[in-house]
Amino acid sequence: MNEKIKNPSVPAGFDRVDGRLKVTGRAKYSAEYNIKGLTYCVMVGSTVTKGTLTAVETKKAENAPGVLAVLTYFNAPKVPGYQGDTPPPKGPLRLFYNDQIYFNGQPIALVVADTFERALFAASLVTATYEKSLHQTNLEANLANGFLPNNSKDNIRGQEDGYKAAPIKIEQEYILPTEVPNPMELHATTARWDADDKITIWTKTQGIKATQRNIATAFKLPPDNVHVIAPFVGGAFGSALRTWPHEIAAALAAKVVKQPVKLVLSRGDMFTSVGYRPRTWQKIGLGASADGKLVGISHEAIGQTSAYENFTEGVVGSSQLMYACPNVTTRYKIVSLNVNTPTPMRGPGEATGAYALESAMDELSYALNIDPIELRLRNYADTDPASGKPYSSKYLRDAYKLGADWIGWSARSQKPGSGTEKGCLAGYGMGAGMFGAYRSTATVTARMTADGILVLQTAVTDIGPGTGTAMATIASEIMGLPENKIKIDLGDSSLPPSPTQGGSSITSTVGSAVNDACKELKDKFSQLGGAGQADKPDYAKILKDHNLEQLEVTTTSKSNPEMSKYAGYSWSVHFIKVLVNPATGVVKVDKAVSVADCGHVVSHKTTRSQMIGGTIMGIGMALTEEVVIDHRYGRLVNNNFADYHVPVQADIPQCEALFVNKPDPYLNPMGAKGMAEIATVGVAAAVANAVYNATGKRVREMPITPDKLV
Ligand code: MOS
């Protein structure tokens, strides 16, 4: 490893603007608004996996101390907006809407009491009877029931399954188990009706405006009568992309008891309430000429969905795009099982697909006896293979080089099982990733106040990546202000509209609006005189000289139409060195580096932190994370953090994030592309490939637990 390879071209950047509030406990999350008259909700889940609910025994619970209500299908008032649109089994789950049980743990009752403890006790007294039917929860046992979702079809470029004609080919199957985007902060909703037709809701969400619209639709309210507040979100990874049934249930409960309610999901509830990365079976066929040129790629995937919604994700899409290859066939199906609906979890589809594709590329590199980086360089796509368009920017070659140099790739042997270190088998692996570079529409207000503080306002939530910090950084450069002169207001539906935080698009989208608003504001000051040229203008003095209380602009920024001429993607490559104990089969990641071509890095500290988080998520995918279902009962076995293993500090090695840091000329004024998803896409394959390099054992079902190696 070369310690000198840092990030010479990237400035250190601001500290997290909300870091102090977070570490001192002053940042308030959705479960922490202890408003007047607050009552407490606890959910009761179904103990069967499929069937019809015939009765819920609520009397004991209702008679328990402090209990205000027990809502079930049999007594709950109707949610007004639930009439008319698509109900289950062909639409989103609705609590207390019908008597059908679609999965184990599906909420069948909600207890409201004057304290949390009393609600929890009363919930333990609720029992139910069911007419059970035969459930299906096993993906591999149901692959034959896979169907093409939503009128989709197979995607064929060139010859169908053209890989089969190549002189060198590999064909392999891979399984990625269900993983949960289970963040530290439990999902929570605090709901208060301020009038019959007016509600304030503090809820964990990635989309403030989407939540506002969804609550308004459910309760048939004008959107302006729904106030959604979420200034801090403690991680989400896709789990808060939707307005979930429990949020509607909390609002309904508050209506019933005529008091504000708080519903905090238990850690167990989280596993069945807020989605997951779906278990997926994949098959890859790769064919190449003896000199390592890809002749064909075939990628087939079957993922699981619930019995009431067709959840799909782009598992096979990147296989059409990642490499220059004339014959590419991709097929994608889903299987309905008695499980809750998945959600787009970080790198949704891409992370699953890249695990298989990048594993298969590694297998091909051994079949050809060509270095895995060299194999990728021989098939490097200089234009988008699907559309033929030029890239808006692509510096993946630079990323390969940076990462290989950092990890010390030249020390790797192409012969598996030949490296030893500290009594362990040592090996190196790599895997690459891609994700679309997006930008949509956002509105930002930039206001200079009389005391020279710049206030930036928009509705977006910051789920952890450091959106506010990126906004402050962009504003600071334009306005010539230090970070302590910039105040960020986020996470409130009364602020100017912004899209849902997701899809690696928010720095691009909201950052552009900050850029435009600050430039306009600066122009306004220029027109007043005195602010245009100077490096650090005294805005407070200019306002005072002109007898102004404040100066503000509100600007809406939209995507650049020029982008339609280009294929816009972010790229990443991950390098992993593992040490495998030959006696125990325990895999220890020794070193990890992820390198991104994500355009210009706006905010170095938060971007690096987010990148390392993505690497760790990928290490979890490869080594420890798996939701286990006992298929006899259809019940989750490990719906807690003691048995579902996310990597902890001791699992994480020396870990670095590097950035090519060359601006994209078209996507947005900052030259930034997204990096949230690419931080995870490709990591799991890099780990599996390193394990193979170390041991000669190819594990094709994640996670690589020790039993699979000894
Ligand atoms: Mo996401 S999967 O961009 O929350």
Side-chain angles (χ1 to χ4, degrees):
M1 187 201 62
N2 188 341
E3 298 280 359
K4 289 198 192 86
I5 299 169
K6 289 257 159 69
N7 271 307
S9 53
V10 186
F14 287 176
D15 290 342
R16 232 169 238 281
V17 292
D18 50 5
R20 199 171 286 267
L21 289 175
K22 285 184 172 177
V23 298
T24 56
R26 281 179 294 153
K28 264 197 184 185
Y29 295 85
S30 301
E32 298 181 314
Y33 289 86
N34 293 319
I35 52 180
K36 192 162 169 271
L38 191 59
T39 64
Y40 301 82
C41 300
V42 169
M43 297 200 303
V44 180
S46 165
T47 55
V48 306
T49 302
K50 184 181 179 189
T52 303
L53 188 63
T54 49
V56 183
E57 175 46 63
T58 58
K59 275 210 183 61
K60 274 191 198 158
E62 282 160 351
N63 291 333
V67 172
L68 300 164
V70 182
L71 299 187
T72 72
Y73 160 66
F74 300 101
N75 70 2
K78 298 285 166 243
V79 175
Y82 278 177
Q83 315 313 318
D85 59 347
T86 318
K90 289 281 164 227
L93 184 71
R94 296 165 174 184
L95 300 195
F96 323 132
Y97 178 78
N98 62 15
D99 57 5
Q100 292 305 295
I101 301 298
Y102 302 102
F103 62 91
N104 204 301
Q106 177 184 326
I108 54 157
L110 185 77
V111 177
V112 192
D114 59 352
T115 71
F116 170 70
E117 289 76 10
R118 285 171 152 185
L120 192 63
F121 173 67
S124 74
L125 304 175
V126 175
T127 55
T129 52
Y130 311 84
E131 265 167 30
K132 273 206 265 186
S133 17
L134 207 60
H135 64 262
Q136 295 292 339
T137 53
N138 188 332
L139 174 71
E140 283 94 305
N142 284 279
L143 290 177
N145 299 326
F147 60 93
L148 289 161
N150 316 330
N151 302 318
S152 63
K153 48 183 199 272
D154 297 349
N155 189 346
I156 300 162
R157 186 166 81 237
Q159 283 291 117
E160 181 167 6
D161 290 323
Y163 80 94
K164 286 183 175 168
I168 313 283
K169 55 182 183 254
I170 65 122
E171 256 180 29
Q172 292 297 352
E173 294 180 18
Y174 305 89
I175 302 255
L176 193 70
T178 289
E179 280 191 298
V180 285
N182 215 311
M184 284 264 268
E185 183 205 8
L186 297 165
H187 279 243
T189 301
T190 304
R192 181 184 69 202
W193 289 90
D194 301 312
D196 272 352
D197 63 348
K198 224 165 170 268
I199 187 170
T200 302
I201 188 155
W202 295 262
T203 193
K204 178 167 180 130
T205 178
Q206 292 174 243
I208 285 278
K209 298 302 280 185
T211 298
Q212 183 186 40
R213 282 192 300 275
N214 293 337
I215 300 283
T217 302
F219 290 94
K220 289 201 164 160
L221 305 170
D224 282 348
N225 286 15
V226 179
H227 188 187
V228 182
I229 302 173
F232 298 96
V233 178
F237 313 113
S239 67
L241 283 170
R242 298 181 71 165
T243 304
W244 295 107
H246 70 262
E247 298 176 87
I248 306 288
L252 187 66
K255 199 142 220 186
V256 169
V257 301
K258 299 185 167 64
Q259 271 176 272
V261 304
K262 170 154 85 179
L263 171 58
V264 184
L265 299 190
S266 69
R267 188 55 75 186
D269 291 337
M270 294 279 291
F271 282 73
T272 45
S273 301
V274 295
Y276 55 89
R277 189 192 306 285
R279 188 175 183 96
T280 303
W281 168 92
Q282 299 180 76
K283 184 173 176 185
I284 303 260
L286 295 181
S289 56
D291 64 350
K293 289 288 271 182
L294 282 167
V295 172
I297 301 173
S298 286
H299 187 171
E300 199 178 330
I302 305 179
Q304 74 177 46
T305 189
S306 65
Y308 50 91
E309 280 178 301
N310 288 354
F311 174 86
T312 64
E313 54 181 11
V315 177
V316 296
S318 298
S319 293
Q320 291 279 349
L321 308 170
M322 192 72 197
Y323 297 106
C325 178
N327 306 303
V328 183
T329 302
T330 55
R331 307 182 175 96
Y332 176 66
K333 289 181 177 174
I334 55 175
V335 174
S336 294
L337 297 176
N338 296 110
V339 292
N340 56 310
T341 305
T343 194
M345 174 167 161
R346 197 176 196 178
E350 287 82 359
T352 303
Y355 155 59
L357 179 66
E358 292 296 285
S359 293
M361 283 294 280
D362 199 64
E363 302 209 36
L364 183 63
S365 82
Y366 288 94
L368 291 160
N369 196 25
I370 294 176
D371 178 275
I373 302 175
E374 179 56 31
L375 175 63
R376 285 164 175 83
L377 291 173
R378 287 188 197 178
N379 295 286
Y380 195 85
D382 284 304
T383 54
D384 181 47
S387 66
K389 287 178 186 177
Y391 295 113
S392 59
S393 60
K394 179 178 180 181
Y395 300 103
L396 182 57
R397 272 198 195 90
D398 302 41
Y400 287 150
K401 169 123 186 40
L402 267 174
D405 288 351
W406 188 92
I407 201 105
W409 189 255
S410 55
R412 171 188 177 275
S413 165
Q414 183 74 9
K415 190 169 172 297
S418 57
T420 51
E421 211 177 296
K422 301 175 194 159
C424 289
L425 297 165
Y428 295 81
M430 53 88 64
M434 64 184 293
F435 195 81
Y438 300 114
R439 173 178 167 192
S440 60
T441 305
T443 305
V444 163
T445 293
R447 178 186 313 120
M448 186 63 73
T449 61
D451 49 2
I453 302 285
L454 175 71
V455 181
L456 297 172
Q457 297 183 310
T458 187
V460 75
T461 52
D462 181 351
I463 62 174
T467 302
T469 312
M471 290 170 66
T473 308
I474 293 164
S476 154
E477 280 168 22
I478 295 166
M479 301 297 289
L481 288 170
E483 54 192 301
N484 63 1
K485 295 274 185 196
I486 302 171
K487 184 175 173 294
I488 309 287
D489 277 351
L490 300 176
D492 191 309
S493 60
S494 63
L495 297 172
S498 150
T500 294
Q501 178 155 103
S504 302
S505 64
I506 286 298
T507 298
S508 175
T509 299
V510 172
S512 297
V514 169
N515 174 87
D516 294 1
C518 287
K519 286 199 164 139
E520 260 184 59
L521 184 61
K522 201 164 177 189
D523 282 350
K524 272 199 170 186
F525 273 99
S526 297
Q527 285 155 21
L528 294 178
Q533 318 304 328
D535 217 24
K536 288 199 169 21
D538 188 342
Y539 295 110
K541 180 167 184 304
I542 300 166
L543 289 175
K544 193 155 182 263
D545 290 349
H546 290 81
N547 275 326
L548 291 168
E549 282 289 310
Q550 60 175 52
L551 204 53
E552 81 167 41
V553 300
T554 294
T555 305
T556 298
S557 175
K558 298 186 170 150
S559 64
N560 178 6
E562 275 288 289
M563 267 307 275
S564 65
K565 296 180 194 159
Y566 300 95
Y569 294 98
S570 288
W571 308 89
S572 64
V573 60
H574 314 275
F575 288 86
I576 299 281
K577 182 187 174 195
V578 295
L579 299 176
V580 183
N581 186 311
T584 64
V586 169
V587 177
K588 176 84 185 149
V589 173
D590 186 52
K591 287 177 172 44
V593 63
S594 291
V595 191
D597 162 19
C598 57
H600 168 69
V601 174
V602 167
S603 164
H604 181 247
K605 214 175 231 191
T606 54
T607 305
R608 177 176 181 275
S609 164
Q610 194 181 6
M611 192 85 186
I612 288 173
T615 313
I616 294 169
M617 200 175 231
I619 292 171
M621 189 190 287
L623 296 181
T624 59
E625 294 188 45
E626 173 179 23
V627 166
V628 178
I629 301 176
D630 184 333
H631 297 302
R632 294 172 300 171
Y633 310 108
R635 182 185 282 268
L636 302 193
V637 172
N638 59 343
N639 53 347
N640 60 73
F641 273 173
D643 298 313
Y644 180 95
H645 296 155
V646 292
V648 297
Q649 203 72 11
D651 298 316
I652 299 311
Q654 186 175 8
C655 194
E656 188 51 281
L658 301 174
F659 302 99
V660 176
N661 198 30
K662 292 185 181 167
D664 185 288
Y666 305 105
L667 185 64
N668 56 52
M670 297 81 64
K673 297 189 282 189
M675 55 67 58
E677 325 282 341
I678 54 163
T680 288
V681 179
V683 180
V687 177
N689 297 344
V691 169
Y692 177 77
N693 186 246
T695 64
K697 285 197 179 129
R698 182 67 69 176
V699 180
R700 299 188 184 88
E701 180 172 349
M702 298 293 102
I704 309 171
T705 43
D707 54 298
K708 293 175 182 166
L709 289 175
V710 291

